[in-house]
Amino acid sequence: MDERTRTGSGYSAVHGTRPQTLGYGLTDSPVALAAWISEKLFTWTDDPGLTRDQILDNVTLYWLTATAASSIRLYWESIAEVSRWFTAAVEDTIDVPTGCSVYPKEVPRPSRRWAARRFTDIVHWSEPAHGGHFAAWEQPELFAGDLRTTVAALARR
């Protein structure tokens, strides 16, 4: 967490404090949008083997729908609360059955002990060997397998 805060959290600060400025720039420039998204893909993934066409499909989806600004604004609306989840003691718990997959390139990567303080009914916990922030896209087989395992655990209840 300290390393990421020191070297890789500038995007979060910009998103959380000046979302419209960045959002308008990314909505106005397809090159800026492609660079911004590509940097996140290469930083937050575990060598997903995504093709150039897959990356361009993702960028195009943001471009054609002009949703760069709205996707960034989520940070402005919630980053303070989300940051507290990872830095402060939990006062409330989530008691619904929960499945967790913690991928190696996801940041932050909570431990099961830490997660169990808040999520009191973990029915499935997985730490796959590969994957990152975009796990369903990067590692669809691993993601689907964990989802199936979680659903099966819920069905046994």
Side-chain angles (χ1 to χ4, degrees), residues 3 8-9 20 30 46 52 64 72 74 76-77 82 85 102 105 115:
E3 175 67 14
S9 64
Q20 291 304 109
D46 186 26
R52 181 180 297 168
L64 294 178
I72 292 170
L74 170 67
W76 178 74
E77 295 168 356
V82 171
W85 294 345
V102 181
K105 288 290 281 192

Side-chain angles (χ1 to χ4, degrees), residues 18-115:
R18 298 292 185 262
Q20 291 304 109
T21 304
L22 179 61
Y24 290 141
L26 298 181
T27 300
D28 188 57
S29 171
V31 173
L33 181 64
W36 190 259
I37 289 174
S38 295
E39 190 273 331
K40 301 303 170 257
L41 289 173
F42 288 102
T43 303
W44 299 346
T45 61
D46 186 26
D47 189 25
L50 298 172
T51 67
R52 181 180 297 168
D53 284 345
Q54 289 173 307
I55 294 170
L56 288 174
D57 285 348
N58 183 269
V59 171
T60 300
L61 181 62
Y62 280 93
W63 180 253
L64 294 178
T65 59
T67 52
S70 62
S71 69
I72 292 170
R73 214 168 24 253
L74 170 67
Y75 284 78
W76 178 74
E77 295 168 356
S78 65
I79 195 65
E81 180 180 352
V82 171
S83 293
R84 279 192 299 276
W85 294 345
F86 292 100
T87 58
V90 295
E91 296 177 12
D92 59 339
T93 59
I94 298 170
D95 303 319
V96 298
T98 304
C100 301
S101 297
V102 181
Y103 293 85
K105 288 290 281 192
E106 180 63 282
V107 177
R109 293 185 64 233
S111 69
R112 183 172 182 149
R113 179 183 56 84
W114 179 86

Side-chain angles (χ1 to χ4, degrees), residues 119-131:
F119 298 91
T120 62
D121 190 9
I122 296 175
V123 298
H124 174 68
W125 182 270
S126 174
E127 295 185 30
H130 302 286

